[in-house]
Amino acid sequence: MKFLRTMFFFFFVFSSIQALAQTPLQTTGPVASEKIFVHTDKDYYVAGEILWYKMYLLNQGIDLNLSRVAYIEIIGKDGKAALQVKTAVDQGNGNGSIVLPSSIPSGNYILRAYTRWMRNAGPVYFFHKQITIVNTLKKSEPVSGPEIKTIHLQLFPEGGDLVNDLQSRIAFLATDQYGRGVSGRGFVTSETLDTLASFATSRFGMGSFSFTPKAGKSYNASFVQENGQKVSVKLPSPIEWGYVMSAENTGDLLRISVAGNNQKFGQVGLTVVHHGANVYQQTKNTADGKAVFEIDRTKLP
């Protein structure tokens, strides 16, 4: 989970760090996100038992008490909720229990948890965990998990956009219809089906790759899961001119590299916003269309 939080912090939270040319920074308010984790007393249950759980809600950029209620669902292999409960959340914590009815069939189920706030971002960001339920009162059937019917591939250019003739890092997330990360490999092809880049998942269906788009061209990203299922999506259309931005941690320093493809960009400004307030602001002259900012991470909130 630490790796998951770090990856998504790296590729999403930095959308609040905006590169500037000659226009002032405009903000729409603080970046807000919630993440939820559920710990169950065990992973294997018999029908009729009680499933006990403890819930932890993590918040970034929002009031800790924003969500007072969380929802937990037990998803069957048909993708539908076999059981649903609500849990009160106080200061980011909640706990409760679910009675597993004696009529529930044997099988692998997905325990899914989320808040109403998280529903704005979609099921990809919900918490998911597999549990097994065995019904000793019913005829034994092979225990099977939810069937993967569809794969979704999402692409996230670091900095927000692809820009013609500038190399960008693109984060990706591959999930099934339940929002669970899936493993596999992929590649980027041109209009003439030439392979221009390849990529592979690391953990939780996530990863990243570098790519340089060209003006007037379009590209597809194809992903092949380990079981052979495939999905193909178009890469985001690059903009004609602008900046790309990348960030990397080097010790206590956060190094932000900005590159532009227009020689008229003589200066570039960088502003870091936290809870609607500027916590870092600096302007630099570009050299060959590039500028590098180094921020002491220990001085950031």
Side-chain angles (χ1 to χ4, degrees):
M1 291 300 296
K2 180 179 179 181
F3 177 86
L4 179 63
R5 292 196 299 269
T6 302
M7 281 285 290
F8 274 95
F9 176 86
F10 188 76
F11 289 111
F12 293 110
V13 173
F14 275 101
S15 62
S16 65
I17 302 179
Q18 302 184 28
L20 309 178
Q22 297 176 352
T23 57
L25 175 70
Q26 295 180 350
T27 61
T28 58
V31 173
S33 63
E34 284 187 333
K35 296 186 185 300
I36 195 168
F37 178 79
V38 178
H39 176 72
T40 58
D41 58 333
K42 53 186 179 180
D43 300 326
Y44 185 94
Y45 297 89
V46 175
E49 284 189 319
I50 298 177
L51 182 155
W52 298 91
Y53 60 86
K54 174 73 175 178
M55 178 184 300
Y56 305 92
L57 190 61
L58 306 177
N59 299 269
Q60 179 184 318
I62 52 181
D63 181 8
L64 185 64
N65 287 314
L66 178 65
S67 291
R68 300 297 184 93
V69 176
Y71 301 85
I72 293 184
E73 300 174 336
I74 305 295
I75 309 296
K77 64 180 181 181
D78 58 358
K80 298 180 180 180
L83 298 167
Q84 293 177 309
V85 297
K86 294 181 181 180
T87 302
V89 178
D90 181 30
Q91 293 295 316
N93 294 289
N95 58 75
S97 62
I98 303 174
V99 178
L100 303 176
S102 57
S103 59
I104 193 168
S106 298
N108 290 331
Y109 292 80
I110 298 298
L111 184 148
R112 182 170 73 176
Y114 58 91
T115 66
R116 290 187 64 182
W117 180 273
M118 294 172 65
R119 290 176 64 178
N120 296 326
V124 168
Y125 301 102
F126 296 175
F127 172 82
H128 296 85
K129 174 182 179 176
Q130 180 174 294
I131 62 172
T132 300
I133 302 174
V134 173
N135 193 321
T136 59
L137 303 178
K138 289 191 173 185
K139 182 179 179 181
S140 178
E141 297 178 358
V143 175
S144 60
E147 179 185 359
I148 296 178
K149 298 179 180 179
T150 57
I151 299 176
H152 303 282
L153 179 65
Q154 296 176 277
L155 304 173
F156 309 97
E158 187 177 14
D161 293 292
L162 295 177
V163 182
N164 286 334
D165 302 315
L166 292 179
Q167 179 173 286
S168 294
R169 180 159 41 191
I170 302 175
F172 68 89
L173 174 64
T175 60
D176 61 17
Q177 74 268 28
Y178 304 103
R180 301 173 302 180
V182 296
S183 300
R185 306 186 66 84
F187 48 90
V188 177
T189 56
S190 65
E191 298 163 305
T192 56
L193 300 182
D194 294 322
T195 300
L196 305 177
S198 60
F199 54 90
T201 53
S202 50
R203 296 180 63 187
F204 309 111
M206 299 194 309
S208 67
F209 61 95
S210 296
F211 184 71
T212 304
K214 301 296 181 182
K217 303 292 183 180
S218 62
Y219 308 94
N220 283 331
S222 299
F223 180 82
V224 183
Q225 198 207 358
E226 291 178 342
N227 66 3
Q229 285 186 276
K230 301 178 182 178
V231 64
S232 182
V233 299
K234 286 186 175 297
L235 259 68
S237 298
I239 59 177
E240 183 179 355
W241 60 267
Y243 292 110
V244 297
M245 181 171 62
S246 62
E248 62 177 340
N249 288 319
T250 56
D252 289 334
L253 292 178
L254 178 65
R255 179 173 286 113
I256 310 292
S257 300
V258 181
N261 65 350
N262 189 320
Q263 295 302 318
K264 295 181 180 180
F265 291 159
Q267 287 188 327
V268 61
L270 183 73
T271 299
V272 181
V273 181
H274 180 259
H275 283 203
N278 296 347
V279 295
Y280 174 91
Q281 194 164 21
Q282 188 175 7
T283 301
K284 286 193 173 186
N285 294 321
T286 60
D288 296 325
K290 298 180 180 179
V292 177
F293 300 82
E294 292 186 338
I295 304 172
D296 186 347
R297 293 193 298 118
T298 64
K299 295 181 180 180
L300 293 177

